[in-house]
């Protein structure tokens, strides 16, 4: 499973951006005319000097680093309307559009940047891969990200996306290799840490996988429930029940589902008295299926309440 929410949030980790888009350009201070154009957006002149172009690009790059992606898009669209042959402008515009979720337009400008300036190839491959990943085109994502990682073998973001692609293909050993080269980001997102733990377990590194999963801290009900399921499958029943309880207290949206799993976990460790109220609550809410009734019957029987057990089956 690939966590789309996690992948989307990774845009905030992509700064500082590659500086290749302005490589070799003048970095002299802004003049008054450029400042006026940047902040008051007058009608653009028919031509721009090198100094002015560099200033616009620096401003756009700053907008992106500050997360002001719409401002960056507006500025760069005006730029390319005047100079459509500037690779750096198309590159930055592609990054801004990708961050705004305008993936088709982003790809268009990144490919244009790649065509205009081969020095931008490494960065273009990176963001083309991320775009393809976020649009669900996993084959294209793998193609571009592998091209990127060959040129930037130590880049953690590239490895992080490749790790998720490997999980999707159930290539868990490969996923672990990529996750290990992107660990600096894993602590920032528990969903990604869960994927790492799962990959470790599936690649027969079970004890390390358990340690990773047990160490994950979150107040998100969905994440806590998912952790509970994983820990339960690993036979860590007490730890699983703790995650289910926390998920419940944090407002897991399908209460009958978490209650059933919590009751099942208590049943497996022999704490039938704790299991019973959760099952009875599901029945009272008229959300019980055959599975719930079967477990409830087993609990009643274990508690020597045979008449209730009989009526539950």
């Amino acid at each position: 499973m690939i966590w789309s929410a996690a992948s989307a949030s990774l845009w905030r980790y992509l700064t500082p951006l590659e500086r290749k888009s302005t490589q070799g350009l003048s970095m002299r201070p802004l003049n008054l005319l450029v400042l006026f154009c940047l902040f008051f957006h007058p009608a653009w002149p028919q031509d721009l000097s090198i100094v002015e172009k560099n200033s616009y690009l620096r401003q756009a790059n700053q907008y992106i680093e500050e997360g002001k992606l719409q401002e960056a898009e507006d500025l760069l669209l005006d730029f390319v309307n005047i100079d459509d042959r500037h690779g750096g402008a198309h590159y930055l515009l592609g990054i801004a559009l990708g961050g705004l979720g305008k993936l088709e337009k982003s790809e268009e400008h990144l490919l244009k940047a790649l065509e205009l300036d081969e020095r931008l190839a490494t960065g273009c491959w990176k963001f083309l891969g991320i775009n393809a990943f976020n649009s669900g085109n996993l084959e294209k994502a793998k193609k571009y990200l592998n091209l990127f990682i060959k040129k930037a073998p130590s880049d953690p973001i590239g490895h992080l996306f490749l790790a998720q692609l490997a999980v999707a293909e159930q290539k868990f050993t490969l996923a672990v290799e990529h996750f290990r080269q992107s660990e600096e980001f894993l602590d920032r997102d528990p969903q990604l840490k869960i994927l790492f733990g799962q990959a470790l377990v599936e690649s027969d590194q079970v004890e390390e996988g358990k340690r990773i999963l047990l160490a994950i801290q979150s107040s998100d009900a969905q994440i806590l429930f998912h952790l509970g399921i994983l820990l339960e499958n690993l036979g860590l029943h007490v730890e699983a029940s703790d995650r289910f309880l926390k998920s419940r207290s944090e407002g897991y949206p399908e209460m009958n589902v978490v209650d059933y799993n919590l009751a099942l976990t208590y049943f497996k460790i022999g704490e039938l008295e704790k299991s019973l109220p959760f099952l009875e609550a599901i029945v009272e809410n008229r959300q019980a299926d055959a599975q719930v009734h079967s477990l409830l019957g087993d609990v009643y029987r274990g508690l020597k309440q045979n008449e209730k057990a009989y009526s539950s089956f």
Side-chain angles (χ1 to χ4, degrees):
M1 176 182 180
I2 293 182
W3 292 86
S4 57
S7 62
S9 71
L10 283 172
W11 282 99
R12 69 178 181 271
Y13 301 145
L14 298 177
T15 56
L17 300 166
E18 292 88 346
R19 301 293 181 171
K20 291 185 179 180
S21 57
T22 54
Q23 194 172 45
L25 300 178
S26 168
M27 289 297 174
R28 284 174 284 177
L30 304 179
N31 59 38
L32 291 176
L33 172 61
V34 174
L35 281 172
F36 180 81
C37 292
L38 283 172
F39 295 108
F40 296 97
H41 298 282
W44 282 66
Q46 292 303 305
D47 196 14
L48 296 172
S49 70
I50 292 176
V51 173
E52 289 171 324
K53 287 180 180 180
N54 295 346
S55 298
Y56 285 117
L57 292 178
R58 287 201 303 273
Q59 182 63 51
N61 192 71
Q62 183 177 335
Y63 279 149
I64 293 171
E65 292 189 346
E66 293 172 352
K68 299 176 180 178
L69 301 180
Q70 189 58 61
E71 289 89 337
E73 179 192 358
D74 295 341
L75 193 65
L76 289 162
L77 281 173
D78 284 340
F79 188 108
V80 298
N81 282 335
I82 291 176
D83 184 356
D84 189 46
R85 305 294 297 170
H86 196 293
H90 284 286
Y91 175 64
L92 290 175
L93 182 53
I95 294 172
L97 289 166
L100 289 166
K102 302 176 182 179
L103 302 182
E104 289 185 12
K105 283 289 185 182
S106 173
E107 181 178 13
E108 177 185 322
H109 286 284
L110 289 168
L111 289 172
K112 184 74 171 179
L114 192 58
E115 173 192 328
L116 291 170
D117 191 342
E118 63 181 16
R119 295 175 303 170
L120 300 171
T122 304
C124 287
W125 288 331
K126 177 178 184 175
F127 290 103
L128 284 166
I130 292 171
N131 282 352
F133 180 97
N134 287 333
S135 66
N137 192 332
L138 304 188
E139 282 302 313
K140 185 187 285 188
K142 186 165 67 170
K143 168 191 166 184
Y144 283 128
L145 288 167
N146 277 321
L147 285 170
F148 167 68
I149 216 68
K150 285 179 183 178
K151 292 289 187 180
S154 61
D155 184 272
I157 290 293
H159 284 292
L160 194 55
F161 278 96
L162 285 169
Q164 294 174 85
L165 290 169
V167 169
E169 295 179 329
Q170 297 189 350
K171 297 179 179 178
F172 297 110
T173 300
L174 178 60
V176 168
E177 292 174 7
H178 285 301
F179 274 128
R180 291 198 189 283
Q181 297 186 73
S182 57
E183 287 192 64
E184 65 189 87
F185 291 110
L186 296 182
D187 287 333
R188 305 184 190 186
D189 195 321
Q191 293 174 330
L192 293 170
K193 202 72 174 283
I194 286 174
L195 284 184
F196 182 33
Q198 286 180 281
L200 285 164
V201 170
E202 295 291 344
S203 60
D204 296 324
Q205 301 175 64
V206 178
E207 291 308 312
E208 185 180 359
K210 286 181 180 179
R211 288 197 300 274
I212 292 293
L213 293 171
L214 287 169
I216 294 172
Q217 300 293 320
S218 178
S219 59
D220 183 280
Q222 300 272 4
I223 291 173
L224 288 164
F225 178 75
H226 189 194
L227 274 172
I229 294 293
L230 293 173
L231 295 172
E232 174 66 24
N233 290 339
L234 288 168
L236 300 172
H237 305 304
V238 174
E239 295 83 354
S241 66
D242 175 70
R243 283 16 173 228
F244 288 138
L245 280 171
K246 288 178 179 176
S247 174
R248 197 176 193 277
S249 67
E250 294 293 343
Y252 189 78
E254 298 180 72
M255 194 63 72
N256 60 309
V257 175
V258 72
D259 281 355
Y260 173 77
N261 281 278
L262 187 53
L264 180 61
T265 302
Y266 283 139
F267 177 79
K268 287 180 178 179
I269 59 179
E271 297 192 15
L272 305 185
E273 295 85 355
K274 289 186 177 180
S275 179
L276 185 59
F278 294 106
L279 293 169
E280 289 180 333
I282 298 172
V283 173
E284 287 175 13
N285 292 330
R286 298 184 179 182
Q287 295 178 314
D289 57 14
Q291 203 171 20
V292 172
H293 282 293
S294 176
L295 179 58
L296 181 58
D298 288 337
V299 170
Y300 280 138
R301 187 167 54 187
L303 292 170
K304 309 300 183 184
Q305 299 180 29
N306 295 326
E307 189 173 327
K308 287 184 177 181
Y310 179 76
S311 65
S312 294
F313 288 112

